[in-house]
Amino acid sequence: MNRHANGSRVSGSLVFLQEFLKHPLQIGSIIPSSRFLERRVVEAAGAADGEVIVELGPGVGGITRALLAAMGPEARLLSIEINPNFHSWVERINDQRLIAHLGSAVDLEEILAGYALAPPSAVVSGIPFSTMDRRIGSQILATVSSVLPVNGRFVAYQVNSQVATLCEPFLGCGQRTMEYLNIPPMRIFQWVKQA
């Protein structure tokens, strides 16, 4: 990693901490994802083969950049962030394949339609389902399930297992792995939509 990229990662970490202190229920961690977690999430999402991928809660864009690095030249990444400060970080990523949208994951279906995007092959989520209202979490997961085509993937990286309970009525039981080389260690959940 060059000095500029390292400086950007450090600056992003400071912004992440500041936003966590301001909005602890909106943000799932005190620092951005590690490169180890980024790799695991990209692999679970099948980003190399995706034509349209949606990212919910990109934070300062670490996983956004990792997804873009893996995606093909014609693919599109729709990144939806509710926090204006985080959104401004994602907007700075210079990549024609990225659509940075300031808004709520609750409106996922309308946002996809607004950009005339095909159904996503994967939805990746870093939003903390454990701290949000269960009703809103269930609403987001119902929408994720409705926009995914058959064999579409939903990947969530979370501190705890709340998302698995909320997601089961919509996508069944998913697979779970752990990434310990992250602060804090993260659970990575993956569901593949069945017919």
Side-chain angles (χ1 to χ4, degrees), residues 28-131:
S29 176
I30 60 169
I31 62 172
S33 305
S34 72
R35 66 182 183 274
F36 304 102
L37 178 60
E38 290 169 2
R39 275 189 230 135
R40 296 279 290 272
V41 169
V42 165
E43 183 181 302
D49 300 318
E51 292 182 20
V52 174
I53 296 176
V54 173
E55 182 184 21
L56 307 176
V60 294
I63 286 180
T64 311
R65 288 180 182 84
L67 287 165
L68 289 166
M71 290 165 58
E74 302 301 317
R76 301 299 305 266
L77 175 60
L78 170 62
S79 180
I80 302 172
E81 177 57 65
I82 199 167
N83 181 300
N85 288 334
F86 287 163
H87 172 70
S88 70
W89 272 77
V90 175
E91 271 191 317
R92 295 178 203 168
I93 298 172
N94 185 19
D95 193 309
Q96 295 295 323
R97 299 169 300 164
L98 174 65
I99 300 168
H101 183 88
L102 178 63
S104 171
V106 170
D107 302 318
L108 172 59
E109 197 165 1
E110 293 81 8
I111 296 166
L112 279 166
Y115 291 106
L117 292 171
S121 58
V123 176
V124 173
S125 179
I127 59 178
F129 287 94
S130 60
T131 58

Side-chain angles (χ1 to χ4, degrees), residues 159-172:
V159 173
N160 75 26
S161 300
Q162 179 72 18
V163 71
T165 303
L166 291 175
C167 200
E168 190 171 350
F170 308 107
L171 292 170

